[in-house]
Amino acid sequence: MLTQAPRGTRDVLPADSYRWQFIESKMRAAAALAGYREVRTPVFEHTELFLRGVGDTTDIVQKEMYTFEDKGKRSVTLKPEGTAGAVRCFLEHNLYAEPLPCKMYYLNAPIFRYENPQSGRLREHHQFGMECFGAREATADAELILTAYHLLQDLGIGNLSVEINSIGCPNCRPVYHARLKEYLSGRMNKLCATCRERFDRNPLRVLDCKEKQCQELTKDAPSMLDLLCDECREHFEQLKGCLDQAGIPYRVNARIVRGLDYYTKTVFELVTRTEDGNLTVCGGGRYDNLVEQIGEQSIPAVGFGMGLERVLMLMDSEGIEIPKPTWYEVFVTYMGENRPAAFALVQQMRKAGIRADLDHCGRSLKAQFKYANKTGAPITAVIGDEEAANGTVKLKRMADGEEKTVAVADVCEAVKEMNS
Ligand code: ATP
Ligand code: MG
């Protein structure tokens, strides 16, 4: 128990964190390129925010939230998604009073959902998300889709399918809801148990049910796209125009409805096809009414969330190598009595910006060599008795065995030269 992390959580080990840092730096760069700046919001919020913001008919609110009462008897919830917190932040700090759009991204935000842990499904995962407030034009939707697409391409993830759909707005969706319910009501006994429940709460979700029987059944269901109001249809046409112009492949998929209640008009997913089926790596859409639901201002917005674990999982399964940085540039070995000299040498190198270290565990010189080799340090420095007596250091380049003895004062220069 004490030495086991909670189910559905994962550690990132020191030897592996470079993989995270690599994708994070690509994500930051992609966001910056499109003018998005980082926002950081708390890990927990008032539960009410998610009830209102995510919608109480969603899977997340119905069964996945980590909710508890704090010592002040307030109900708080660990973030189950990134958008509601971003909206709360946008409103609390009156960011709408500044020139819009307000573009923000969050990176490595821990997200908590009480899910059944399995491949690609954790109880704590991390998301990169981008949100754009105050932009009603479809160019904003397209910019987000393109940024996510190019980022994943840049990371080497091929096989990407961009799936888009429009789920309309409060003007046209009720008409569709009614049609869909009419279609489903005669077929209720063939729906899975979950979908029978969804029928009243959120009939759209029946369309993206993963059960075969439901997928079969909804094949000929009416499509929202046929019932969009003029405004929504025009918006969707413009989005497609932008994507056509950018030349990325995409597919209109009427089954993409997304799990959250707050979406309007555009919804999209970036999906990869793997051996074990489809995996959604990024999902997002437009939420023109969410800001008003949480605050008072009516401000259109659009955004997406991308799971970092899923990005890494896909890179793994496609065999994409992430450049592994060297750990140490120099490892300093020494005869026991020269420990102070070795320590001083390490400090001297660190001051000069060289990643250096020495043995802290009392190893013999031979064991230090072995350890230095294991760390992969390209250069091993030696302070034996002779070197100590002469005020010198012996440097050995591990790749080709080349050795050089230099004065202590010249070590940093010599290391840089040997490593270049
Ligand atoms: P799914 O249909 O797979 O449950 P979702 O609709 O719940 O996905 P979103 O809320 O859109 O997912 O979250 C955005 C992204 O976060 C997903 O595309 C995925 O990459 C990632 N994600 C979501 N839930 C998990 C999880 N439990 N573990 C790991 N990553 C997740
Ligand atoms: Mg989910």
Side-chain angles (χ1 to χ4, degrees):
M1 185 78 171
L2 278 182
T3 56
Q4 197 160 36
R7 223 162 103 74
T9 68
R10 257 205 241 148
D11 298 311
V12 177
L13 301 181
D16 296 327
S17 50
Y18 73 95
R19 305 177 71 246
W20 287 73
Q21 289 163 356
F22 179 80
I23 64 168
E24 286 162 16
S25 71
K26 294 277 189 188
M27 287 165 175
R28 279 187 199 289
L33 210 51
Y36 288 70
R37 294 177 296 178
E38 188 180 2
V39 64
R40 300 187 188 200
T41 65
V43 165
F44 63 91
E45 298 269 3
H46 297 301
T47 300
E48 186 59 28
L49 177 68
F50 301 116
L51 298 183
R52 191 74 81 80
V54 178
D56 51 12
T57 71
T58 60
D59 286 354
I60 292 181
V61 168
Q62 294 240 320
K63 47 187 192 217
E64 295 176 358
M65 295 212 298
Y66 276 89
T67 298
F68 58 95
E69 217 173 59
D70 69 8
K71 292 207 163 80
K73 300 256 180 265
R74 278 172 293 262
S75 177
V76 293
T77 296
L78 303 178
K79 255 192 264 193
E81 55 92 62
T83 302
V87 172
R88 196 267 311 135
C89 168
F90 173 78
L91 287 165
E92 178 166 349
H93 301 283
N94 303 340
L95 299 184
Y96 50 82
E98 290 170 24
L100 296 173
C102 171
K103 295 173 163 198
M104 51 172 86
Y105 74 91
Y106 48 86
L107 182 55
N108 216 356
I111 303 289
F112 303 88
R113 296 182 186 177
Y114 195 79
E115 305 220 49
N116 226 351
Q118 48 183 291
S119 166
R121 207 166 280 289
L122 295 159
R123 288 187 175 165
E124 182 194 31
H125 74 275
H126 300 80
Q127 285 188 15
F128 163 56
M130 291 173 63
E131 316 282 354
C132 177
F133 294 97
R136 67 176 65 253
E137 299 299 333
T139 44
D141 312 44
E143 152 181 299
L144 286 164
I145 295 173
L146 289 169
T147 299
Y149 179 78
H150 290 312
L151 166 66
L152 293 170
Q153 284 248 306
D154 186 31
L155 288 171
I157 298 174
N159 233 336
L160 264 184
S161 173
V162 178
E163 320 243 314
I164 64 169
N165 189 22
S166 175
I167 55 169
C169 68
N171 289 329
C172 50
R173 202 182 311 150
V175 180
Y176 178 66
H177 266 185
R179 287 275 182 93
L180 183 62
K181 279 182 145 176
E182 197 184 299
Y183 175 88
L184 293 174
S185 60
R187 301 166 167 85
M188 285 292 270
N189 55 345
K190 293 196 188 118
L191 288 175
C192 75
T194 320
C195 281
R196 279 202 290 267
E197 266 174 53
R198 282 174 177 149
F199 179 80
D200 279 319
R201 290 192 272 120
N202 200 347
L204 272 187
R205 289 239 55 191
V206 176
L207 296 175
D208 81 341
C209 180
K210 310 278 186 295
E211 297 290 328
K212 266 234 155 60
Q213 70 209 74
C214 299
Q215 292 200 351
E216 267 307 303
L217 194 88
T218 48
K219 250 191 191 151
D220 302 316
S223 166
M224 179 73 230
L225 292 173
D226 296 329
L227 293 167
L228 293 177
C229 61
D230 289 348
E231 188 191 312
C232 288
R233 177 172 305 114
E234 176 59 18
H235 196 271
F236 196 51
E237 288 308 314
Q238 283 180 7
L239 169 63
K240 289 191 288 184
C242 292
L243 299 180
D244 286 336
Q245 190 187 46
I248 68 156
Y250 65 90
R251 196 164 79 101
V252 175
N253 180 352
R255 285 192 185 276
I256 303 287
V257 298
R258 313 281 307 127
L260 311 177
D261 283 354
Y262 53 60
Y263 287 110
T264 49
K265 297 194 170 85
T266 312
V267 286
F268 63 90
E269 288 186 3
L270 275 69
V271 184
T272 57
R273 318 239 175 262
T274 64
E275 283 163 19
D276 333 311
N278 295 348
L279 193 75
T280 302
V281 59
C282 174
R286 180 164 276 284
Y287 48 94
D288 287 346
N289 302 316
L290 178 61
V291 177
E292 198 172 10
Q293 250 174 63
I294 293 175
E296 279 151 23
Q297 294 70 15
S298 167
I299 290 167
V302 53
F304 71 69
M306 182 184 288
L308 270 68
E309 282 85 355
R310 290 209 188 157
V311 170
L312 285 168
M313 195 170 117
L314 287 170
M315 291 179 75
D316 248 359
S317 71
E318 295 198 17
I320 299 160
E321 292 228 5
I322 295 177
K324 188 171 182 168
T326 51
W327 182 2
Y328 295 118
E329 292 166 277
V330 182
F331 199 89
V332 178
T333 62
Y334 55 93
M335 298 285 270
E337 63 277 19
N338 299 329
R339 185 174 295 123
F343 184 75
L345 184 67
V346 165
Q347 296 309 314
Q348 179 187 331
M349 287 195 275
R350 288 183 184 171
K351 267 190 194 144
I354 298 169
R355 277 175 280 129
D357 210 348
L358 75 159
D359 176 68
H360 299 286
C361 304
R363 290 184 176 85
S364 69
L365 188 58
K366 196 172 152 207
Q368 288 177 39
F369 263 124
K370 226 168 136 180
Y371 178 78
N373 215 3
K374 260 197 198 146
T375 68
I379 294 178
T380 305
V382 189
I383 307 182
D385 289 339
E386 204 182 313
E387 286 84 7
N390 299 335
T392 58
V393 177
K394 189 161 80 186
L395 299 174
K396 180 173 178 185
R397 186 161 59 203
M398 304 311 277
D400 57 4
E402 158 126 344
E403 289 187 359
K404 209 186 236 178
T405 299
V406 298
V408 168
D410 301 331
V411 162
C412 294
E413 274 307 305
V415 162
K416 283 179 186 159
E417 210 180 289
M418 280 175 101
N419 258 346
S420 63

